[in-house]
Structures are given as structure tokens and as C-alpha cells.
Amino acid sequence: MIVVRAEPGDLARLIRFRTDTAAWLQPQGIDQWSLPFPPSQMAASIARGEVYLFKENAAADAAATVTLDREADDLLWTPEEQLDDALYVHKLTVDRAHAGAGLGARILDWAGTRAARAGARWLRLDAWTANPQLQAYYLNQGFHHVRTVNDPEVGGSGWVAQRPAQATPGWPDVDLTEGH
């Protein structure tokens, strides 16, 4: 598996990751990602170099994606927590054709390795409050539940978790292939 930074031409694929996942979750009674995410926000994350694609080889379609940044959601993380050096996992999505092969766990380890190399103390994430299977998955990946926020007055919620940032043996020093 190789890791490449997403480029502007990948925006349609990133949107398809979300719509495909929402369509898979909906029959399970989970409304995660049922509202479209603004493409302009995705494009801005791509421009900042925060969006990554995981591929079997350079010519293959993306098997998964993740956004990794330093942006803490003010609704979910306290001002004190935001002072901690952390990288945040967003929009981690594995194509259903690659589900069940451990790719999500490998991506979380990759993100933890990048966080450790960047000097971060924590790898953090938030999950949909109505998706207990996803929450259990993250707990099984070594994350510790910090809190669940549900604030309808400001229109936000989230199940937030973190684990110490640490390098995973086996990730090479140069773990990012630039371009496609």
C-alpha cells in the first residue's frame, strides 16, 4: 500500500467515499454522513496538504482516505485540551471493497506514526454519536473515550477519543509518495 497526498482532481473520489459510506450505513439505521459535506471545505483541506489516499499502487483507485491535521473542533475539545500538541484524524474511510482487511487499523497506525514524528503527544478523533460499532472499533484500536458531546443548541455532537501518538514499527522513514 502506498500513501499519496490528495490533489484537486481527487475531489470527486473523496465525495464518492462519503456518499458510498453513507449509503452503506443508512440501512443499518446510522445517518452518518447523510448530509453532503461542502466540497469547498474538502478542496481547502486538499490545498493545505492534509488529505491522504491509500492505494495498492500508483495507478490503482484509492482504497481509503484520511484527513490528518491539527484542527481541534472547539465544540468537542476543551481549550485546555487544545493546548496539547495533537494531530486529529478526520474522514477516515475505507472503500467497501477493501473492508475487513485491517486497512483502517494500518491507517490509524500510520497517522500515529506521523503524529509522533511531528512531536505530537496525542492522536485524536471524533466519531458519530449514533454509531456504537465505530466507537467500539476505535476503542479496540487503543483509543480512550474522553467524552461524548451532544449540544443541540449549537447543532453539534461527537464521541471523542484519543491515544498517545507513537511510531509503529515497520513504517519507513519516508512513508509518503508525492503525487500520483
Side-chain angles (χ1 to χ4, degrees):
M1 192 68 52
I2 64 168
V3 184
V4 298
R5 285 189 198 274
E7 298 175 349
D10 296 315
L11 184 58
R13 178 62 179 113
L14 294 168
I15 292 170
R16 196 169 82 239
F17 268 119
R18 285 183 73 90
T19 57
D20 289 353
T21 301
W24 175 71
L25 290 170
Q26 193 275 330
Q28 300 174 52
I30 300 170
D31 65 349
Q32 183 172 345
W33 294 352
S34 58
L35 297 175
F37 193 80
S40 61
Q41 288 184 14
M42 281 188 193
S45 292
I46 292 169
R48 288 189 300 268
E50 301 165 343
V51 182
Y52 301 91
L53 300 172
F54 295 76
K55 300 176 163 201
E56 291 182 26
N57 59 62
D61 185 26
T65 183
V66 70
T67 300
L68 189 62
D69 61 32
R70 292 188 179 272
E71 294 184 33
D73 185 322
D74 291 337
L75 176 67
L76 303 177
W77 297 98
T78 68
E80 294 79 21
E81 289 166 338
Q82 291 181 41
L83 294 174
D84 289 336
D85 199 359
L87 287 185
Y88 295 82
V89 171
H90 305 283
K91 302 176 198 73
L92 172 59
T93 314
V94 176
D95 187 275
R96 298 310 310 153
H98 297 273
L103 183 54
R106 289 187 62 214
I107 291 169
L108 290 169
D109 287 345
W110 173 86
T113 297
R114 290 190 65 83
R117 289 182 184 160
R121 178 177 176 203
W122 299 107
L123 181 64
R124 291 178 170 163
L125 53 77
D126 62 87
W128 207 252
T129 56
N131 192 338
Q133 297 93 341
L134 182 59
Q135 296 164 20
Y137 174 80
Y138 287 134
L139 291 172
N140 287 333
Q141 297 305 313
F143 285 85
H144 300 281
H145 179 235
V146 175
R147 79 183 61 77
T148 300
V149 176
N150 192 358
D151 192 343
E153 289 186 20
V154 295
S157 66
W159 179 92
V160 297
Q162 64 186 11
R163 73 181 192 193
Q166 64 184 42
T168 300
W171 283 107
D173 287 336
V174 179
D175 59 357
L176 183 66
T177 302
E178 294 293 339
H180 290 255

